[in-house]
Amino acid sequence: MEQEKVVDKVAEHIEETRRREVILSSLRQTVLNDLDSTIQTDQFLLNMGPQHPSTHGVLRVLLDLDGERIKRSIPDLGYLHRGTEKIAEYRTYNQIIPMTDRLDYVSAMANNYAFVRAVEKLLEIKIPERAEYIRTIVAEVQRIVNHLFWLGTQALDIGAMSVFFYTFREREELLDLFEIICGARLTSNYYRVGGVDADLPKEFINRLYKFLDAFEGNIKEYNILLETNRIWLARTKNIAVITGEDAVNFGMSGPSLRGSGVDYDLRKYEPYGVYDQIDWNVPVGINGDVYDRYWIRIEEMRESSKIIRQCLDKLPPGRILTEDHKITFPDKGKVMHNMETLIHHFLLVVQGFKVPPGDTYCGTETPKGELGFYIVSDGSGKPYRMKIRAPSFIHIGALDHMAKGYMVADIVTIFGTLDIVMGECDR
Amino acid sequence: MLNDILAAVVVIAGVLFVVLTMVAYLTYLERKVLSFMQDRLGPMEVGPWGLLQPLADGIKLVSKEDIIPQEANKAIFKIAPIISLVPAILSFAVIPFGRDSFHFGGITTHPYLTDINIGMIYILALSSIGAYGILLGGWASNSKYSILGALRSAAQVISYELNAGMSIIGVLILGGSLSLVQIEKAQQGGFWHWYIFPQIIAFVIYLISGIAETNRTPFDLPEAESELVAGFFTEYSGMRFSLYYLAEYANMIVVSCVATVLFLGGWGSPLPMLDFVPPVIWFMLKVYSFLFFFFWIRATLPRLRYDQLMKFGWKVMLPLSFANVIVTAFVVYMIRH
């Protein structure tokens, strides 16, 4: 009796698989008919990822190939989905900050900044000047860290392996600096609503100055290895071209958009932090190919170091957190002696700070593009709804458009040039 | 008679030992050279300065499970790595690595296994057979990444074999022989006799083709890690995987040896006054400088794309090598008559 049941089940399963096969093959036929191929060849479907050395995490792409040429590329997302947006509805605002670290895990500080800015916009509070300077410095250091990481992996994907080690050498120094200010190298959790967590110690500032002094020479070193290399140029020029119009239509942002000649940088257009008090430029490309985006990121590193140096020179004294203790924690020393501060402390821990009802969208220029937080507040200490506009997710929408007609080898270059991080993409 | 056989066995054993040790330590050397170029230390844990690393790698690979994919063509899957490695090692039979004969207790042997009068063709033929190992291995794995890698490799080896063959012809015209021993002898007496100077174009073409044939950066498309995971040997594991690895390094040594013999005068010293240095040392020095050059290239250059590689091979290198052959033949004819 038992055995019969098992046999039945197996038969059912086989039947089911067959039915699926039929559906699949008919689907495949319709796909084939869609593609206007003059020579009738077999379709070559290549499954790339989610476990693949260069899909930047757990991206999966189905490649429809004609020989080595890409006819279609279908990204399949969700392998790193952790439900960040939903979990956020059950956390106080301060508890969400460490969750944003895990979005774009290559540049955690930038995510902190983007989230904190959105909440501050809802709260309509003012940040002490010193805190604004520190935020700008750290955000730009994070931009350099991200671009170094990007440069190393992009070069490694194209086959130039030494650049990877050189950029990681520099990145290591900057991560050590992060460790000084927040105790962590990657998951920083440094920004706070109303300021930042800790002041910059003397050692941080000195080492950052030293780093900046050597950095210009280091960028030159990468350029000697790449920009003057004919193979590098052949692999990046006129690859994955996207026009400015298309890039805008796909909703791209950041270096990926600026590479196509669209002069759009939130730091210039809706200045936040102290970007409007600093002298710096937005590098813009012309052709919208991989090389232009490479050039822009290199230039952005130069601009970032310019911004950091000016900020460090100007760094004013003062507080690093607002004094509004409805939002920020009061000094620990006072908590045990002053009734009011004790209540503030207690309420902040138990309920979190209250955000007035309403909704807002706030976009921030992270290294990857415009990272936006849309937050709906019902007046409680937790967001009613939080939506993250992740640049990686939106850029992946343009993958098929950019990859069509190029070779298998180029798909890896395109992953790199879009600067995709799956933590942010799948959220 | 018995003495002759004994002598042959001794030399074969000696050459095999030297070659296999060289191949094993080449992996160590490559990792060290790359490391120093990339601001790191490389293997340091196993033995002093990591000197026993190749041994540890060998033990690890041998003791690993030999996984064969279910859908693979098992017979060909098993035999393909062997097809790849054996020709690479067989090539060493004709390479003369020294001048003087050796004496072991009454047995006299030459510094080469055999001096056949078609040595160069023998090496070209063997390297073509080696390509079968890659092609069959990729095909038998029944995996899409493997088949892509194998196809690339087949196309690459065919196009670059042609260039290598054409570039060699110039040297053969000058040397007047296909035997490596004869070609070497024709270049003795100082570096100005070396064929690298009259055949500089052929030298460059041969070197580039050699890198391409051994599937090294910037021509490592068949095993392009970032696109094809590991290319034709994606599905291989354990000892079979390491056979491919050994074949690649053995081929590198063959290419370096041939380049040394054809263009740098083999075991000859660059200046007559440096003759006191044993010829074997000169030979090894030249071979290792080629190997270092390969490592250096790998640390520096990005990878070409498949179509660019083909374009470069057929549209740039092939016409150049043809022109080189024609010009060399013409000039040699004019001088002799």
Side-chain angles (χ1 to χ4, degrees):
Chain A
M1 194 62 194
E2 278 296 304
Q3 260 181 341
E4 261 180 27
K5 257 187 189 169
V6 172
V7 169
D8 272 350
K9 258 193 182 161
V10 169
E12 219 171 80
H13 181 74
I14 292 171
E15 187 59 26
E16 177 67 29
T17 344
R18 263 196 209 129
R19 231 176 296 142
R20 274 191 198 155
E21 281 293 315
V22 170
I23 294 169
L24 262 180
S25 68
S26 72
L27 263 177
R28 209 171 283 158
Q29 203 49 52
T30 49
V31 169
L32 262 182
N33 291 343
D34 275 1
L35 307 157
D36 46 305
S37 53
T38 44
I39 309 163
Q40 202 57 50
T41 46
D42 261 356
Q43 187 191 26
F44 194 78
L45 263 184
L46 186 69
N47 175 40
M48 209 173 201
Q51 281 157 2
H52 187 281
S54 57
T55 50
H56 292 234
V58 284
L59 172 63
R60 175 174 179 239
V61 181
L62 267 177
L63 294 178
D64 189 357
L65 298 178
D66 173 18
E68 288 231 6
R69 217 160 269 286
I70 299 164
K71 286 200 283 191
R72 229 156 63 121
S73 54
I74 308 153
D76 181 11
L77 310 178
Y79 287 92
L80 205 59
H81 177 64
R82 292 156 297 180
T84 307
E85 289 173 2
K86 189 68 189 168
I87 297 171
E89 293 169 15
Y90 301 93
R91 298 279 184 276
T92 63
Y93 288 95
N94 273 334
Q95 284 173 323
I96 297 171
I97 299 173
M99 284 168 61
T100 62
D101 288 341
R102 276 89 179 156
L103 287 176
D104 171 4
Y105 41 76
V106 178
S107 45
M109 292 283 195
N111 305 336
N112 287 175
Y113 200 5
F115 173 71
V116 162
R117 255 170 45 76
V119 179
E120 279 162 4
K121 198 172 165 191
L122 266 178
L123 286 168
E124 290 172 351
I125 53 168
K126 196 102 178 79
I127 312 301
E129 206 191 358
R130 185 176 173 85
E132 288 282 28
Y133 269 90
I134 293 177
R135 282 180 170 196
T136 310
I137 291 169
V138 174
E140 291 308 311
V141 172
Q142 182 68 75
R143 194 178 308 278
I144 294 180
V145 169
N146 180 82
H147 285 356
L148 283 174
F149 184 89
W150 165 83
L151 178 63
T153 48
Q154 169 103 76
L156 191 66
D157 285 346
I158 297 184
M161 76 190 287
S162 289
V163 180
F164 179 76
F165 291 97
Y166 299 151
T167 60
F168 266 54
R169 177 186 62 197
E170 264 73 74
R171 178 173 175 265
E172 212 54 29
E173 169 67 16
L174 291 179
L175 291 183
D176 283 350
L177 290 182
F178 280 169
E179 203 175 344
I180 293 174
I181 56 170
C182 67
R185 288 152 44 86
L186 294 173
T187 50
S188 49
N189 186 18
Y190 176 67
Y191 287 70
R192 291 286 177 276
V193 176
V196 291
D197 180 46
D199 208 343
L200 300 183
K202 198 100 201 115
E203 188 195 353
F204 178 91
I205 295 173
N206 290 341
R207 278 174 70 175
L208 195 52
Y209 267 125
K210 226 174 171 179
F211 173 86
L212 292 178
D213 290 340
F215 192 52
E216 184 59 35
N218 290 329
I219 293 181
K220 265 193 197 128
E221 192 182 347
Y222 315 141
N223 272 357
I224 289 167
L225 272 167
L226 298 176
E227 216 164 73
T228 53
N229 189 319
R230 288 190 58 172
I231 300 177
W232 176 265
L233 294 182
R235 286 298 304 273
T236 54
K237 285 229 170 190
N238 295 321
I239 302 295
V241 180
I242 185 163
T243 62
E245 198 188 339
D246 282 342
V248 170
N249 287 342
F250 275 111
M252 289 164 79
S253 53
S256 307
L257 174 66
R258 292 194 284 275
S260 304
V262 183
D263 174 20
Y264 177 72
D265 190 323
L266 282 173
R267 291 174 292 171
K268 269 280 192 245
Y269 281 80
E270 300 170 11
Y272 53 89
V274 290
Y275 287 113
D276 48 350
Q277 299 161 35
I278 302 285
D279 169 40
W280 63 285
N281 304 313
V282 181
V284 178
I286 302 164
N287 303 320
D289 55 6
V290 175
Y291 177 80
D292 276 22
R293 290 186 280 271
Y294 154 82
W295 178 82
I296 279 179
R297 288 189 173 105
I298 294 276
E299 284 304 308
E300 272 192 5
M301 283 200 269
R302 291 204 171 107
E303 292 299 328
S304 288
S305 61
K306 235 164 84 183
I307 295 172
I308 296 169
R309 192 182 286 279
Q310 291 178 53
C311 284
L312 283 176
D313 289 343
K314 284 188 185 175
L315 193 63
R319 285 185 64 86
I320 53 160
L321 266 174
T322 53
E323 271 182 288
D324 183 356
H325 293 312
K326 294 240 180 304
I327 294 162
T328 57
F329 279 102
D331 287 341
K332 197 73 183 170
K334 285 185 196 159
V335 171
M336 292 301 168
H337 304 289
N338 190 327
M339 190 60 204
E340 204 185 349
T341 42
L342 180 64
I343 292 171
H344 281 319
H345 184 95
F346 179 76
L347 283 179
L348 272 176
V349 171
V350 176
Q351 299 178 339
F353 53 80
K354 299 277 195 305
V355 174
D359 66 316
T360 190
Y361 172 82
C362 179
T364 303
E365 186 76 26
T366 63
K368 301 217 159 38
E370 178 181 343
L371 175 64
F373 279 86
Y374 175 70
I375 298 175
V376 182
S377 169
D378 56 0
S380 72
K382 296 164 185 171
Y384 176 76
R385 172 81 171 94
M386 185 175 93
K387 166 85 179 82
I388 304 165
R389 181 216 186 268
S392 293
F393 178 72
I394 286 158
H395 289 168
I396 260 194
L399 180 72
D400 182 42
H401 178 78
M402 288 168 83
K404 202 171 279 175
Y406 295 102
M407 314 283 283
V408 180
D410 292 327
I411 192 90
V412 183
T413 320
I414 297 169
F415 290 152
T417 191
L418 288 175
D419 205 0
I420 292 162
V421 160
M422 293 316 284
E424 179 183 69
C425 189
D426 293 341
R427 298 189 287 280
Chain B
M1 180 64 200
L2 194 68
N3 255 10
D4 285 351
I5 293 173
L6 213 63
V9 168
V10 165
V11 180
I12 289 172
V15 168
L16 258 184
F17 177 77
V18 170
V19 164
L20 288 179
T21 318
M22 255 175 91
V23 167
Y25 269 87
L26 208 55
T27 60
Y28 172 80
L29 198 68
E30 166 155 41
R31 290 169 70 175
K32 275 290 182 196
V33 170
L34 280 182
S35 304
F36 289 138
M37 286 179 180
Q38 290 163 350
D39 223 7
R40 57 200 175 95
L41 288 173
M44 286 296 280
E45 296 297 322
V46 193
W49 306 289
L51 269 171
L52 298 177
Q53 187 68 43
L55 209 67
D57 286 345
I59 293 169
K60 187 199 83 173
L61 284 167
V62 170
S63 56
K64 274 209 163 181
E65 190 188 347
D66 180 25
I67 301 165
I68 299 174
Q70 206 168 19
E71 298 291 313
N73 186 328
K74 295 198 175 54
I76 297 180
F77 186 84
K78 282 178 183 167
I79 212 167
I82 302 168
I83 298 179
S84 205
L85 179 62
V86 169
I89 291 181
L90 281 183
S91 303
F92 288 101
V94 292
I95 288 166
F97 48 84
R99 180 185 54 195
D100 312 312
S101 299
F102 295 96
H103 304 282
F104 300 105
I107 305 165
T108 309
T109 64
H110 298 295
Y112 43 81
L113 290 188
T114 173
D115 175 23
I116 48 180
N117 56 3
I118 50 158
M120 209 45 243
I121 291 181
Y122 170 79
I123 285 181
L124 285 178
L126 282 177
S127 77
S128 301
I129 294 175
Y132 277 101
I134 292 174
L135 189 56
L136 290 177
W139 176 78
S141 305
N142 205 357
S143 144
K144 287 181 177 174
Y145 288 113
S146 300
I147 197 81
L148 267 180
L151 285 174
R152 283 179 176 192
S153 163
Q156 181 175 325
V157 170
I158 288 169
S159 14
Y160 279 81
E161 194 109 287
L162 199 61
N163 296 331
M166 290 308 290
S167 66
I168 286 169
I169 290 179
V171 174
L172 299 183
I173 292 172
L174 289 180
S177 169
L178 276 165
S179 152
L180 293 175
V181 179
Q182 296 305 322
I183 293 172
E184 233 172 18
K185 273 192 185 141
Q187 299 178 63
Q188 295 318 312
F191 69 86
W192 53 91
H193 291 293
W194 294 355
Y195 290 154
I196 179 172
F197 299 110
Q199 289 292 316
I200 183 74
I201 295 171
F203 174 71
V204 173
I205 290 173
Y206 180 78
L207 210 58
I208 294 174
S209 310
I211 298 171
E213 262 187 80
T214 48
N215 298 333
R216 307 248 338 147
T217 321
F219 306 105
D220 57 342
L221 304 169
E223 48 195 86
E225 192 202 339
S226 49
E227 309 136 42
L228 300 184
V229 191
F232 59 89
F233 59 71
T234 306
E235 304 294 335
Y236 280 91
S237 60
M239 204 54 215
R240 288 181 207 287
F241 167 80
S242 65
L243 287 187
Y244 272 125
Y245 225 75
L246 293 180
E248 183 185 322
Y249 283 92
N251 273 324
M252 262 166 75
I253 302 180
V254 171
V255 167
S256 308
C257 286
V258 171
T260 305
V261 170
L262 293 185
F263 296 101
L264 293 189
W267 41 260
S269 60
L271 292 168
M273 60 179 168
L274 290 173
D275 271 348
F276 61 91
V277 181
V280 180
I281 304 268
W282 281 122
F283 188 81
M284 285 297 164
L285 213 63
K286 288 168 188 172
V287 168
Y288 272 100
S289 46
F290 277 117
L291 292 173
F292 176 79
F293 180 72
F294 287 165
F295 300 152
W296 190 9
I297 289 273
R298 179 167 174 204
T300 312
L301 290 184
R303 186 181 302 120
L304 274 170
R305 212 173 53 201
Y306 180 65
D307 56 329
Q308 293 164 347
L309 169 99
M310 289 316 232
K311 212 182 273 172
F312 185 61
W314 289 96
K315 289 192 177 167
V316 180
M317 304 245 292
L318 195 62
L320 263 179
S321 51
F322 268 120
N324 181 58
V325 169
I326 292 166
V327 170
T328 310
F330 188 69
V331 171
V332 168
Y333 181 83
M334 293 300 278
I335 290 172
R336 284 190 189 158
H337 295 267

